[in-house]
Amino acid sequence: MNKKKVILTTALLGSMIIGSSALVFATQDNLQKSILSGGVKLNNEEVRNSIVQVEKSESKLSEEQIVQLAEKYEKNVTKDTTMQIQVRSLEQGNTLKEDKYNDKKIWTVSDNYTETKIDAETGDLIQTLSKKQEYTDSNCTEDEAKVIANELYKNLDIKNEYKDYQLNGIIKFDDELWIANFSKKYGDLYNDFESVKVTFAPADKQVKIVSIINQGIYENNSVSISEDEAKDIAKKQINSNSNSKVKLAIVQPNYFFKDKNNYLTYKEVEKTRTAYIVSLEDENKTIVYVDATTGEVIGGDVAL
């Protein structure tokens, strides 16, 4: 693999996995009912400047404790200790930053070989990645990649509560790397907001990135409305009679869009719900989340 490509790939993979559901669009004010009560309106400038460096003394854990945790967590990925160059797209040393958007302080422990992000309050792993640059190309099938992913996941040194997560999806990133998603399962539904993502090289059976996703508390609400009722609610929401597809899933409520020309950015509600995801075949490919218990529109998305 080209080394310049790997530098970009490492940064890209980290941002893809860590920030999978950061920004959402706002919806109409009259939809802010009980479920949609936790949104905090932010303008675009506030979002861009939401991560700032803070004094290390603001951490509940000392820098020494954080380094010890990092040394434990980084054993989950494969180092290339022969590497002599610095990966300049990733900063070196130990830094503490506050993510105001998600109300969290994060330690980053980084050297030439690994970078590890740790919750400064709890010491929990957020992400650890290897800066190893070369992996062997793989021609494995998706089924073969799943077998290897399960094997690697079983051997990770992570919290016991994550060990019961099940493989919920796998994609080929490039000729060398695959990304596997392990999620907590509730009945027939996977919760991608309680998940572990593993980026790995099947040919080498090596792990490049481990990311822990914990976003919102799942309220495990019941299903009280039908798919047809959800479709009708979604169509009424956008005043459309277009065809639609629907599936039951666990979603994180958000404030959707207000109108096509006035985008506002909102922090997502800090809980997850069982909802119908209704995908409409209108010109914007609008997606509407309809709460499976109350029938309330609790967010969505739009592909312009």
Side-chain angles (χ1 to χ4, degrees):
M1 190 184 213
N2 180 276
K3 290 187 177 180
K4 289 183 179 178
K5 178 186 174 186
V6 175
I7 291 173
L8 293 172
T9 296
T10 300
L12 175 62
L13 281 170
S15 62
M16 281 174 60
I17 294 169
I18 269 306
S20 59
S21 62
L23 303 183
V24 293
F25 299 118
T27 192
Q28 297 164 346
D29 293 339
N30 63 2
L31 293 175
Q32 296 181 21
K33 299 178 182 177
S34 58
I35 295 173
L36 292 181
S37 61
V40 178
K41 185 168 72 172
L42 301 170
N43 61 44
N44 291 334
E45 187 65 25
E46 288 174 312
V47 172
R48 280 194 293 270
N49 298 318
S50 63
I51 299 179
V52 298
Q53 190 155 331
V54 295
E55 295 295 325
K56 295 177 180 179
S57 58
E58 293 188 30
S59 172
K60 285 189 175 180
L61 300 173
S62 69
E63 186 169 0
E64 181 181 28
Q65 289 174 308
I66 290 295
V67 170
Q68 289 174 350
L69 286 169
E71 289 174 349
K72 171 189 174 183
Y73 294 144
E74 68 188 23
K75 291 177 182 177
N76 284 311
V77 297
T78 305
K79 295 184 184 181
D80 182 1
T81 56
T82 65
M83 187 169 65
Q84 298 300 315
I85 68 168
Q86 289 189 350
V87 181
R88 294 180 181 167
S89 64
L90 302 171
E91 60 188 334
Q92 311 294 308
N94 307 330
T95 60
L96 177 64
K97 293 184 178 180
E98 182 175 8
D99 180 354
K100 294 183 177 180
Y101 186 79
N102 291 304
D103 192 26
K104 182 177 291 187
K105 291 185 175 68
I106 299 171
W107 276 100
T108 300
V109 179
S110 181
D111 58 23
N112 281 354
Y113 311 113
T114 59
E115 177 177 284
T116 301
K117 296 183 182 297
I118 298 171
D119 189 310
E121 303 295 312
T122 65
D124 290 341
L125 173 65
I126 296 173
Q127 182 186 80
T128 185
L129 65 84
S130 169
K131 298 179 185 177
K132 178 177 168 63
Q133 296 188 9
E134 301 291 343
Y135 296 93
T136 306
D137 286 355
S138 172
N139 295 317
C140 73
T141 65
E142 181 175 313
D143 286 341
E144 290 170 336
K146 286 179 178 179
V147 171
I148 296 170
N150 277 312
E151 178 185 332
L152 292 172
Y153 188 74
K154 186 172 70 172
N155 292 323
L156 290 179
D157 184 7
I158 53 178
K159 283 185 172 181
N160 286 333
E161 64 189 88
Y162 303 145
K163 289 292 188 179
D164 292 332
Y165 288 8
Q166 297 181 32
L167 183 62
N168 180 28
I170 191 165
I171 60 171
K172 186 175 183 179
F173 181 77
D174 59 19
D175 290 338
E176 302 170 359
L177 300 172
W178 289 66
I179 303 175
N181 186 54
F182 295 83
S183 301
K184 188 168 182 176
K185 195 173 184 182
Y186 294 86
D188 294 329
L189 300 180
Y190 290 97
N191 186 1
D192 286 337
F193 303 97
E194 294 177 85
S195 64
V196 179
K197 296 187 184 296
V198 181
T199 302
F200 65 102
D204 304 309
K205 293 190 176 181
Q206 294 180 351
V207 176
K208 181 173 181 63
I209 306 175
V210 177
S211 298
I212 311 293
I213 312 297
N214 279 310
Q215 295 177 313
I217 298 172
Y218 179 44
E219 298 191 330
N220 205 2
N221 53 300
S222 62
V223 178
S224 301
I225 67 170
S226 69
E227 289 187 359
D228 287 339
E229 288 174 315
K231 286 181 181 180
D232 290 340
I233 292 168
K235 289 177 180 180
K236 184 177 180 181
Q237 164 66 24
I238 66 168
N239 192 25
S240 170
N241 288 318
S242 59
N243 293 330
S244 61
K245 296 179 181 178
V246 62
K247 68 176 182 179
L248 194 66
I250 296 172
V251 306
Q252 187 168 28
N254 61 52
Y255 285 82
F256 203 26
F257 62 89
K258 183 174 182 179
D259 59 58
K260 293 181 180 178
N261 301 309
N262 184 24
Y263 289 109
L264 298 174
T265 302
Y266 280 79
K267 181 177 179 179
E268 292 175 320
V269 178
E270 294 180 350
K271 56 189 171 188
T272 55
R273 301 273 296 178
T274 304
Y276 288 104
I277 300 178
V278 183
S279 302
L280 296 155
E281 296 179 5
D282 62 325
E283 62 176 337
N284 293 322
K285 304 298 182 185
T286 308
I287 299 169
V288 181
Y289 301 159
V290 179
D291 190 272
T293 304
T294 67
E296 179 185 347
V297 173
I298 58 172
D301 204 349
V302 60
L304 294 176

